[in-house]
mmCIF file of all heavy atoms in Angstrom:
data_model
loop_
_atom_site.group_PDB
_atom_site.id
_atom_site.type_symbol
_atom_site.label_atom_id
_atom_site.label_comp_id
_atom_site.label_asym_id
_atom_site.label_seq_id
_atom_site.Cartn_x
_atom_site.Cartn_y
_atom_site.Cartn_z
ATOM 1 N N ILE A 1 0.869 -1.172 0.000
ATOM 2 C CA ILE A 1 0.000 0.000 0.000
ATOM 3 C C ILE A 1 0.905 1.221 0.000
ATOM 4 O O ILE A 1 2.119 1.109 0.047
ATOM 5 C CB ILE A 1 -0.935 0.046 1.232
ATOM 6 C CG1 ILE A 1 -0.110 0.277 2.523
ATOM 7 C CG2 ILE A 1 -1.777 -1.213 1.342
ATOM 8 C CD1 ILE A 1 -0.955 0.671 3.717
ATOM 9 N N GLU A 2 0.326 2.423 0.010
ATOM 10 C CA GLU A 2 1.089 3.651 0.179
ATOM 11 C C GLU A 2 0.906 4.111 1.627
ATOM 12 O O GLU A 2 -0.214 4.259 2.093
ATOM 13 C CB GLU A 2 0.604 4.731 -0.791
ATOM 14 C CG GLU A 2 1.611 5.832 -1.074
ATOM 15 C CD GLU A 2 1.930 6.654 0.150
ATOM 16 O OE1 GLU A 2 1.003 6.963 0.921
ATOM 17 O OE2 GLU A 2 3.107 6.975 0.363
ATOM 18 N N GLY A 3 2.019 4.291 2.348
ATOM 19 C CA GLY A 3 1.944 4.812 3.710
ATOM 20 C C GLY A 3 2.034 3.734 4.766
ATOM 21 O O GLY A 3 2.295 2.567 4.481
ATOM 22 N N HIS A 4 1.802 4.126 6.021
ATOM 23 C CA HIS A 4 1.964 3.238 7.168
ATOM 24 C C HIS A 4 0.612 3.011 7.834
ATOM 25 O O HIS A 4 0.064 3.898 8.492
ATOM 26 C CB HIS A 4 2.965 3.830 8.164
ATOM 27 C CG HIS A 4 4.360 3.874 7.621
ATOM 28 N ND1 HIS A 4 5.335 2.963 7.978
ATOM 29 C CD2 HIS A 4 4.934 4.699 6.722
ATOM 30 C CE1 HIS A 4 6.450 3.236 7.325
ATOM 31 N NE2 HIS A 4 6.224 4.285 6.559
ATOM 32 N N LEU A 5 0.092 1.800 7.702
ATOM 33 C CA LEU A 5 -1.211 1.424 8.237
ATOM 34 C C LEU A 5 -1.058 0.209 9.137
ATOM 35 O O LEU A 5 -0.419 -0.767 8.767
ATOM 36 C CB LEU A 5 -2.179 1.106 7.092
ATOM 37 C CG LEU A 5 -3.545 0.522 7.481
ATOM 38 C CD1 LEU A 5 -4.388 1.551 8.226
ATOM 39 C CD2 LEU A 5 -4.294 0.031 6.233
ATOM 40 N N ARG A 6 -1.653 0.284 10.313
ATOM 41 C CA ARG A 6 -1.706 -0.846 11.244
ATOM 42 C C ARG A 6 -3.136 -1.354 11.312
ATOM 43 O O ARG A 6 -4.087 -0.577 11.440
ATOM 44 C CB ARG A 6 -1.236 -0.403 12.629
ATOM 45 C CG ARG A 6 -1.535 -1.399 13.748
ATOM 46 C CD ARG A 6 -1.031 -0.887 15.089
ATOM 47 N NE ARG A 6 -1.514 -1.715 16.197
ATOM 48 C CZ ARG A 6 -1.140 -1.570 17.470
ATOM 49 N NH1 ARG A 6 -0.263 -0.626 17.797
ATOM 50 N NH2 ARG A 6 -1.642 -2.352 18.404
ATOM 51 N N ILE A 7 -3.282 -2.665 11.239
ATOM 52 C CA ILE A 7 -4.592 -3.303 11.386
ATOM 53 C C ILE A 7 -4.524 -4.306 12.532
ATOM 54 O O ILE A 7 -3.626 -5.155 12.577
ATOM 55 C CB ILE A 7 -5.028 -4.025 10.098
ATOM 56 C CG1 ILE A 7 -5.247 -3.020 8.960
ATOM 57 C CG2 ILE A 7 -6.294 -4.841 10.342
ATOM 58 C CD1 ILE A 7 -6.455 -2.125 9.112
ATOM 59 N N ASP A 8 -5.458 -4.209 13.462
ATOM 60 C CA ASP A 8 -5.617 -5.181 14.539
ATOM 61 C C ASP A 8 -6.965 -5.869 14.376
ATOM 62 O O ASP A 8 -7.979 -5.193 14.092
ATOM 63 C CB ASP A 8 -5.588 -4.492 15.906
ATOM 64 C CG ASP A 8 -4.220 -3.948 16.263
ATOM 65 O OD1 ASP A 8 -3.796 -2.935 15.667
ATOM 66 O OD2 ASP A 8 -3.573 -4.539 17.140
ATOM 67 N N VAL A 9 -6.987 -7.184 14.543
ATOM 68 C CA VAL A 9 -8.252 -7.923 14.496
ATOM 69 C C VAL A 9 -8.297 -8.933 15.636
ATOM 70 O O VAL A 9 -7.274 -9.530 15.996
ATOM 71 C CB VAL A 9 -8.453 -8.661 13.150
ATOM 72 C CG1 VAL A 9 -8.640 -7.671 12.012
ATOM 73 C CG2 VAL A 9 -7.297 -9.599 12.845
ATOM 74 N N ASP A 10 -9.477 -9.097 16.215
ATOM 75 C CA ASP A 10 -9.723 -10.179 17.154
ATOM 76 C C ASP A 10 -10.352 -11.328 16.384
ATOM 77 O O ASP A 10 -11.361 -11.135 15.680
ATOM 78 C CB ASP A 10 -10.670 -9.735 18.268
ATOM 79 C CG ASP A 10 -9.974 -8.880 19.319
ATOM 80 O OD1 ASP A 10 -8.734 -8.826 19.296
ATOM 81 O OD2 ASP A 10 -10.669 -8.268 20.153
ATOM 82 N N VAL A 11 -9.748 -12.516 16.482
ATOM 83 C CA VAL A 11 -10.209 -13.686 15.736
ATOM 84 C C VAL A 11 -10.705 -14.744 16.715
ATOM 85 O O VAL A 11 -10.032 -15.068 17.691
ATOM 86 C CB VAL A 11 -9.072 -14.274 14.874
ATOM 87 C CG1 VAL A 11 -9.545 -15.504 14.119
ATOM 88 C CG2 VAL A 11 -8.561 -13.218 13.895
ATOM 89 N N ASP A 12 -11.887 -15.264 16.443
ATOM 90 C CA ASP A 12 -12.458 -16.327 17.273
ATOM 91 C C ASP A 12 -13.195 -17.291 16.345
ATOM 92 O O ASP A 12 -14.003 -16.863 15.520
ATOM 93 C CB ASP A 12 -13.423 -15.740 18.304
ATOM 94 C CG ASP A 12 -13.803 -16.744 19.394
ATOM 95 O OD1 ASP A 12 -13.298 -17.890 19.353
ATOM 96 O OD2 ASP A 12 -14.608 -16.394 20.273
ATOM 97 N N GLY A 13 -12.899 -18.593 16.490
ATOM 98 C CA GLY A 13 -13.552 -19.586 15.644
ATOM 99 C C GLY A 13 -13.238 -19.423 14.174
ATOM 100 O O GLY A 13 -14.067 -19.758 13.308
ATOM 101 N N GLY A 14 -12.043 -18.908 13.869
ATOM 102 C CA GLY A 14 -11.644 -18.744 12.477
ATOM 103 C C GLY A 14 -12.289 -17.565 11.775
ATOM 104 O O GLY A 14 -12.226 -17.460 10.545
ATOM 105 N N ARG A 15 -12.888 -16.631 12.530
ATOM 106 C CA ARG A 15 -13.544 -15.457 11.950
ATOM 107 C C ARG A 15 -13.119 -14.194 12.690
ATOM 108 O O ARG A 15 -12.846 -14.220 13.892
ATOM 109 C CB ARG A 15 -15.073 -15.584 12.059
ATOM 110 C CG ARG A 15 -15.660 -16.794 11.363
ATOM 111 C CD ARG A 15 -15.825 -16.544 9.876
ATOM 112 N NE ARG A 15 -16.298 -17.748 9.184
ATOM 113 C CZ ARG A 15 -16.663 -17.771 7.919
ATOM 114 N NH1 ARG A 15 -16.622 -16.662 7.201
ATOM 115 N NH2 ARG A 15 -17.055 -18.889 7.348
ATOM 116 N N VAL A 16 -13.100 -13.080 11.987
ATOM 117 C CA VAL A 16 -12.799 -11.794 12.600
ATOM 118 C C VAL A 16 -14.038 -11.300 13.340
ATOM 119 O O VAL A 16 -15.127 -11.209 12.768
ATOM 120 C CB VAL A 16 -12.375 -10.759 11.537
ATOM 121 C CG1 VAL A 16 -12.199 -9.377 12.177
ATOM 122 C CG2 VAL A 16 -11.077 -11.192 10.858
ATOM 123 N N LYS A 17 -13.858 -10.976 14.615
ATOM 124 C CA LYS A 17 -14.975 -10.527 15.436
ATOM 125 C C LYS A 17 -14.935 -9.019 15.701
ATOM 126 O O LYS A 17 -15.960 -8.413 15.997
ATOM 127 C CB LYS A 17 -14.979 -11.279 16.767
ATOM 128 C CG LYS A 17 -15.145 -12.788 16.608
ATOM 129 C CD LYS A 17 -16.436 -13.150 15.887
ATOM 130 C CE LYS A 17 -16.608 -14.653 15.741
ATOM 131 N NZ LYS A 17 -17.826 -15.009 14.969
ATOM 132 N N LYS A 18 -13.728 -8.428 15.649
ATOM 133 C CA LYS A 18 -13.588 -7.001 15.899
ATOM 134 C C LYS A 18 -12.326 -6.524 15.199
ATOM 135 O O LYS A 18 -11.360 -7.282 15.068
ATOM 136 C CB LYS A 18 -13.503 -6.723 17.403
ATOM 137 C CG LYS A 18 -13.835 -5.297 17.811
ATOM 138 C CD LYS A 18 -13.972 -5.185 19.330
ATOM 139 C CE LYS A 18 -14.412 -3.776 19.728
ATOM 140 N NZ LYS A 18 -14.570 -3.646 21.212
ATOM 141 N N ALA A 19 -12.327 -5.271 14.745
ATOM 142 C CA ALA A 19 -11.173 -4.767 13.992
ATOM 143 C C ALA A 19 -10.908 -3.306 14.324
ATOM 144 O O ALA A 19 -11.828 -2.552 14.669
ATOM 145 C CB ALA A 19 -11.404 -4.933 12.490
ATOM 146 N N TRP A 20 -9.630 -2.932 14.221
ATOM 147 C CA TRP A 20 -9.194 -1.550 14.410
ATOM 148 C C TRP A 20 -8.299 -1.162 13.236
ATOM 149 O O TRP A 20 -7.398 -1.908 12.870
ATOM 150 C CB TRP A 20 -8.396 -1.391 15.703
ATOM 151 C CG TRP A 20 -9.167 -1.601 16.962
ATOM 152 C CD1 TRP A 20 -9.723 -0.652 17.772
ATOM 153 C CD2 TRP A 20 -9.441 -2.859 17.592
ATOM 154 N NE1 TRP A 20 -10.334 -1.233 18.860
ATOM 155 C CE2 TRP A 20 -10.179 -2.594 18.776
ATOM 156 C CE3 TRP A 20 -9.154 -4.190 17.271
ATOM 157 C CZ2 TRP A 20 -10.610 -3.600 19.630
ATOM 158 C CZ3 TRP A 20 -9.593 -5.197 18.113
ATOM 159 C CH2 TRP A 20 -10.320 -4.897 19.280
ATOM 160 N N SER A 21 -8.540 0.005 12.672
ATOM 161 C CA SER A 21 -7.688 0.552 11.602
ATOM 162 C C SER A 21 -6.970 1.771 12.151
ATOM 163 O O SER A 21 -7.607 2.731 12.592
ATOM 164 C CB SER A 21 -8.546 0.938 10.389
ATOM 165 O OG SER A 21 -7.790 1.668 9.444
ATOM 166 N N SER A 22 -5.637 1.720 12.137
ATOM 167 C CA SER A 22 -4.850 2.788 12.749
ATOM 168 C C SER A 22 -3.836 3.356 11.766
ATOM 169 O O SER A 22 -2.899 2.672 11.358
ATOM 170 C CB SER A 22 -4.126 2.256 13.999
ATOM 171 O OG SER A 22 -3.269 3.237 14.539
ATOM 172 N N GLY A 23 -4.003 4.611 11.392
ATOM 173 C CA GLY A 23 -3.008 5.315 10.595
ATOM 174 C C GLY A 23 -1.861 5.723 11.482
ATOM 175 O O GLY A 23 -2.063 6.371 12.515
ATOM 176 N N GLN A 24 -0.650 5.388 11.075
ATOM 177 C CA GLN A 24 0.512 5.533 11.952
ATOM 178 C C GLN A 24 1.396 6.734 11.609
ATOM 179 O O GLN A 24 2.539 6.802 12.043
ATOM 180 C CB GLN A 24 1.343 4.252 11.899
ATOM 181 C CG GLN A 24 0.649 3.033 12.489
ATOM 182 C CD GLN A 24 0.548 3.113 14.002
ATOM 183 O OE1 GLN A 24 1.536 3.113 14.708
ATOM 184 N NE2 GLN A 24 -0.686 3.198 14.495
ATOM 185 N N MET A 25 0.877 7.679 10.863
ATOM 186 C CA MET A 25 1.640 8.877 10.522
ATOM 187 C C MET A 25 0.735 10.103 10.659
ATOM 188 O O MET A 25 -0.473 10.001 10.516
ATOM 189 C CB MET A 25 2.162 8.796 9.082
ATOM 190 C CG MET A 25 3.062 7.614 8.806
ATOM 191 S SD MET A 25 3.048 7.132 7.070
ATOM 192 C CE MET A 25 3.588 8.622 6.280
ATOM 193 N N TRP A 26 1.333 11.257 10.922
ATOM 194 C CA TRP A 26 0.567 12.493 11.091
ATOM 195 C C TRP A 26 0.691 13.379 9.864
ATOM 196 O O TRP A 26 1.783 13.600 9.347
ATOM 197 C CB TRP A 26 1.069 13.268 12.314
ATOM 198 C CG TRP A 26 0.400 14.592 12.493
ATOM 199 C CD1 TRP A 26 -0.940 14.827 12.603
ATOM 200 C CD2 TRP A 26 1.034 15.873 12.565
ATOM 201 N NE1 TRP A 26 -1.184 16.169 12.749
ATOM 202 C CE2 TRP A 26 0.008 16.838 12.733
ATOM 203 C CE3 TRP A 26 2.365 16.297 12.519
ATOM 204 C CZ2 TRP A 26 0.271 18.194 12.852
ATOM 205 C CZ3 TRP A 26 2.624 17.659 12.633
ATOM 206 C CH2 TRP A 26 1.591 18.593 12.797
ATOM 207 N N ARG A 27 -0.437 13.899 9.389
ATOM 208 C CA ARG A 27 -0.438 14.829 8.262
ATOM 209 C C ARG A 27 -0.597 16.251 8.797
ATOM 210 O O ARG A 27 -1.606 16.580 9.399
ATOM 211 C CB ARG A 27 -1.591 14.516 7.309
ATOM 212 C CG ARG A 27 -1.555 15.351 6.024
ATOM 213 C CD ARG A 27 -2.837 15.151 5.215
ATOM 214 N NE ARG A 27 -3.948 15.842 5.834
ATOM 215 C CZ ARG A 27 -5.224 15.485 5.696
ATOM 216 N NH1 ARG A 27 -5.529 14.426 5.005
ATOM 217 N NH2 ARG A 27 -6.183 16.171 6.265
ATOM 218 N N GLY A 28 0.370 17.091 8.551
ATOM 219 C CA GLY A 28 0.311 18.462 9.040
ATOM 220 C C GLY A 28 0.291 19.506 7.950
ATOM 221 O O GLY A 28 0.588 20.667 8.194
ATOM 222 N N VAL A 29 -0.062 19.128 6.728
ATOM 223 C CA VAL A 29 0.018 20.070 5.609
ATOM 224 C C VAL A 29 -0.934 21.247 5.804
ATOM 225 O O VAL A 29 -0.657 22.362 5.344
ATOM 226 C CB VAL A 29 -0.259 19.350 4.266
ATOM 227 C CG1 VAL A 29 -1.711 18.935 4.153
ATOM 228 C CG2 VAL A 29 0.164 20.217 3.087
ATOM 229 N N GLU A 30 -2.048 21.021 6.515
ATOM 230 C CA GLU A 30 -2.983 22.128 6.733
ATOM 231 C C GLU A 30 -2.331 23.272 7.499
ATOM 232 O O GLU A 30 -2.625 24.443 7.266
ATOM 233 C CB GLU A 30 -4.222 21.633 7.500
ATOM 234 C CG GLU A 30 -5.136 20.709 6.694
ATOM 235 C CD GLU A 30 -4.791 19.249 6.850
ATOM 236 O OE1 GLU A 30 -3.695 18.949 7.357
ATOM 237 O OE2 GLU A 30 -5.616 18.405 6.473
ATOM 238 N N LEU A 31 -1.431 22.927 8.426
ATOM 239 C CA LEU A 31 -0.735 23.949 9.202
ATOM 240 C C LEU A 31 0.302 24.676 8.353
ATOM 241 O O LEU A 31 0.545 25.875 8.528
ATOM 242 C CB LEU A 31 -0.069 23.313 10.425
ATOM 243 C CG LEU A 31 -1.011 22.585 11.392
ATOM 244 C CD1 LEU A 31 -0.233 22.005 12.565
ATOM 245 C CD2 LEU A 31 -2.100 23.516 11.903
ATOM 246 N N ILE A 32 0.917 23.952 7.424
ATOM 247 C CA ILE A 32 1.903 24.560 6.524
ATOM 248 C C ILE A 32 1.248 25.624 5.643
ATOM 249 O O ILE A 32 1.870 26.633 5.285
ATOM 250 C CB ILE A 32 2.557 23.473 5.650
ATOM 251 C CG1 ILE A 32 3.354 22.499 6.515
ATOM 252 C CG2 ILE A 32 3.459 24.081 4.574
ATOM 253 C CD1 ILE A 32 3.863 21.275 5.766
ATOM 254 N N LEU A 33 -0.027 25.441 5.308
ATOM 255 C CA LEU A 33 -0.713 26.325 4.369
ATOM 256 C C LEU A 33 -1.214 27.623 4.990
ATOM 257 O O LEU A 33 -1.494 28.589 4.271
ATOM 258 C CB LEU A 33 -1.902 25.583 3.742
ATOM 259 C CG LEU A 33 -1.547 24.488 2.739
ATOM 260 C CD1 LEU A 33 -2.763 23.631 2.432
ATOM 261 C CD2 LEU A 33 -0.981 25.085 1.463
ATOM 262 N N LEU A 34 -1.364 27.663 6.299
ATOM 263 C CA LEU A 34 -1.942 28.843 6.942
ATOM 264 C C LEU A 34 -1.134 30.097 6.633
ATOM 265 O O LEU A 34 0.095 30.118 6.748
ATOM 266 C CB LEU A 34 -2.025 28.631 8.453
ATOM 267 C CG LEU A 34 -2.943 27.498 8.931
ATOM 268 C CD1 LEU A 34 -2.920 27.388 10.444
ATOM 269 C CD2 LEU A 34 -4.361 27.703 8.430
ATOM 270 N N GLY A 35 -1.848 31.155 6.209
ATOM 271 C CA GLY A 35 -1.213 32.437 5.917
ATOM 272 C C GLY A 35 -0.589 32.545 4.541
ATOM 273 O O GLY A 35 -0.053 33.604 4.187
ATOM 274 N N ARG A 36 -0.643 31.492 3.764
ATOM 275 C CA ARG A 36 -0.005 31.508 2.438
ATOM 276 C C ARG A 36 -0.958 32.022 1.351
ATOM 277 O O ARG A 36 -2.177 32.077 1.522
ATOM 278 C CB ARG A 36 0.493 30.107 2.077
ATOM 279 C CG ARG A 36 1.679 29.650 2.935
ATOM 280 C CD ARG A 36 2.155 28.286 2.472
ATOM 281 N NE ARG A 36 3.300 27.813 3.236
ATOM 282 C CZ ARG A 36 4.571 28.001 2.897
ATOM 283 N NH1 ARG A 36 4.871 28.662 1.786
ATOM 284 N NH2 ARG A 36 5.555 27.532 3.653
ATOM 285 N N ASP A 37 -0.371 32.314 0.208
ATOM 286 C CA ASP A 37 -1.125 32.719 -0.975
ATOM 287 C C ASP A 37 -1.911 31.509 -1.479
ATOM 288 O O ASP A 37 -1.327 30.443 -1.719
ATOM 289 C CB ASP A 37 -0.154 33.207 -2.053
ATOM 290 C CG ASP A 37 -0.850 33.863 -3.233
ATOM 291 O OD1 ASP A 37 -1.897 33.338 -3.676
ATOM 292 O OD2 ASP A 37 -0.342 34.888 -3.733
ATOM 293 N N PRO A 38 -3.222 31.626 -1.663
ATOM 294 C CA PRO A 38 -4.030 30.485 -2.126
ATOM 295 C C PRO A 38 -3.580 29.919 -3.469
ATOM 296 O O PRO A 38 -3.840 28.753 -3.770
ATOM 297 C CB PRO A 38 -5.452 31.062 -2.221
ATOM 298 C CG PRO A 38 -5.438 32.250 -1.316
ATOM 299 C CD PRO A 38 -4.042 32.805 -1.390
ATOM 300 N N ARG A 39 -2.891 30.726 -4.271
ATOM 301 C CA ARG A 39 -2.420 30.251 -5.572
ATOM 302 C C ARG A 39 -1.288 29.241 -5.434
ATOM 303 O O ARG A 39 -0.966 28.535 -6.398
ATOM 304 C CB ARG A 39 -1.977 31.437 -6.432
ATOM 305 C CG ARG A 39 -3.121 32.338 -6.882
ATOM 306 C CD ARG A 39 -2.628 33.603 -7.522
ATOM 307 N NE ARG A 39 -1.922 34.460 -6.563
ATOM 308 C CZ ARG A 39 -1.452 35.672 -6.832
ATOM 309 N NH1 ARG A 39 -1.621 36.190 -8.046
ATOM 310 N NH2 ARG A 39 -0.822 36.379 -5.908
ATOM 311 N N ASP A 40 -0.675 29.187 -4.252
ATOM 312 C CA ASP A 40 0.416 28.234 -4.015
ATOM 313 C C ASP A 40 -0.075 26.908 -3.441
ATOM 314 O O ASP A 40 0.701 25.948 -3.363
ATOM 315 C CB ASP A 40 1.437 28.831 -3.036
ATOM 316 C CG ASP A 40 2.169 30.035 -3.615
ATOM 317 O OD1 ASP A 40 2.204 30.157 -4.858
ATOM 318 O OD2 ASP A 40 2.684 30.841 -2.829
ATOM 319 N N ALA A 41 -1.335 26.858 -3.017
ATOM 320 C CA ALA A 41 -1.815 25.690 -2.267
ATOM 321 C C ALA A 41 -1.720 24.402 -3.082
ATOM 322 O O ALA A 41 -1.388 23.345 -2.545
ATOM 323 C CB ALA A 41 -3.254 25.922 -1.800
ATOM 324 N N TRP A 42 -1.999 24.486 -4.374
ATOM 325 C CA TRP A 42 -2.015 23.249 -5.182
ATOM 326 C C TRP A 42 -0.622 22.627 -5.292
ATOM 327 O O TRP A 42 -0.490 21.404 -5.314
ATOM 328 C CB TRP A 42 -2.599 23.510 -6.568
ATOM 329 C CG TRP A 42 -1.728 24.293 -7.508
ATOM 330 C CD1 TRP A 42 -1.690 25.642 -7.670
ATOM 331 C CD2 TRP A 42 -0.765 23.761 -8.424
ATOM 332 N NE1 TRP A 42 -0.761 25.986 -8.626
ATOM 333 C CE2 TRP A 42 -0.179 24.852 -9.107
ATOM 334 C CE3 TRP A 42 -0.335 22.466 -8.735
ATOM 335 C CZ2 TRP A 42 0.804 24.700 -10.077
ATOM 336 C CZ3 TRP A 42 0.650 22.304 -9.704
ATOM 337 C CH2 TRP A 42 1.199 23.416 -10.362
ATOM 338 N N THR A 43 0.419 23.457 -5.333
ATOM 339 C CA THR A 43 1.768 22.904 -5.432
ATOM 340 C C THR A 43 2.198 22.250 -4.118
ATOM 341 O O THR A 43 2.954 21.279 -4.116
ATOM 342 C CB THR A 43 2.791 23.987 -5.804
ATOM 343 O OG1 THR A 43 2.845 24.978 -4.775
ATOM 344 C CG2 THR A 43 2.440 24.648 -7.110
ATOM 345 N N ILE A 44 1.709 22.786 -3.004
ATOM 346 C CA ILE A 44 2.065 22.253 -1.691
ATOM 347 C C ILE A 44 1.256 21.001 -1.374
ATOM 348 O O ILE A 44 1.805 19.984 -0.938
ATOM 349 C CB ILE A 44 1.859 23.324 -0.602
ATOM 350 C CG1 ILE A 44 2.809 24.508 -0.845
ATOM 351 C CG2 ILE A 44 2.071 22.736 0.792
ATOM 352 C CD1 ILE A 44 2.519 25.717 0.012
ATOM 353 N N THR A 45 -0.044 21.046 -1.621
ATOM 354 C CA THR A 45 -0.897 19.922 -1.217
ATOM 355 C C THR A 45 -0.613 18.666 -2.019
ATOM 356 O O THR A 45 -0.785 17.553 -1.502
ATOM 357 C CB THR A 45 -2.394 20.271 -1.335
ATOM 358 O OG1 THR A 45 -2.691 20.672 -2.684
ATOM 359 C CG2 THR A 45 -2.778 21.379 -0.371
ATOM 360 N N GLN A 46 -0.165 18.786 -3.267
ATOM 361 C CA GLN A 46 0.105 17.559 -4.007
ATOM 362 C C GLN A 46 1.353 16.854 -3.491
ATOM 363 O O GLN A 46 1.610 15.695 -3.815
ATOM 364 C CB GLN A 46 0.168 17.786 -5.507
ATOM 365 C CG GLN A 46 1.378 18.487 -6.049
ATOM 366 C CD GLN A 46 1.447 18.405 -7.578
ATOM 367 O OE1 GLN A 46 1.043 17.410 -8.196
ATOM 368 N NE2 GLN A 46 1.937 19.470 -8.200
#
């Protein structure tokens, strides 16, 4: 896949009974954009 993803599952009787999806990285691009010229946002966000 792209990025760092953790999956936890509880298995009972050969079946998944409960699951957790955990993204293991922080995205801070929104903070980088504050106060900037809106015309620059597309180059930064991609």
